[in-house]
Amino acid sequence: MKYTPATLTEEHVHQIQEVEQHLSDAAGKELILIAYSLQPEETNPSDSRSDPL
């Protein structure tokens, strides 16, 4: 699977920051959430083998 950073509105960013704060409080450690969106896989699987994770 290939992922790229998700396009977010200001409202989405605010909601994610609120969730980060709640999870950080519950975990007792600062957490950072990163939003990605699923992209179609490449047609040539050999190309993806050279991509670093």
Side-chain angles (χ1 to χ4, degrees), residues 1-3 10 17-18 27 30 34 41-43 46-47:
M1 286 185 222
K2 183 177 179 182
Y3 294 90
E10 288 296 319
Q17 289 171 333
E18 287 182 354
E30 188 172 337
I34 301 172
E41 292 198 29
E42 296 176 18
T43 55
S46 63
D47 290 344

Side-chain angles (χ1 to χ4, degrees), residues 1-20:
M1 286 185 222
K2 183 177 179 182
Y3 294 90
T4 59
T7 303
L8 302 173
T9 65
E10 288 296 319
E11 179 61 26
H12 289 130
V13 171
H14 180 71
Q15 290 173 352
I16 288 174
Q17 289 171 333
E18 287 182 354
V19 171
E20 282 177 337

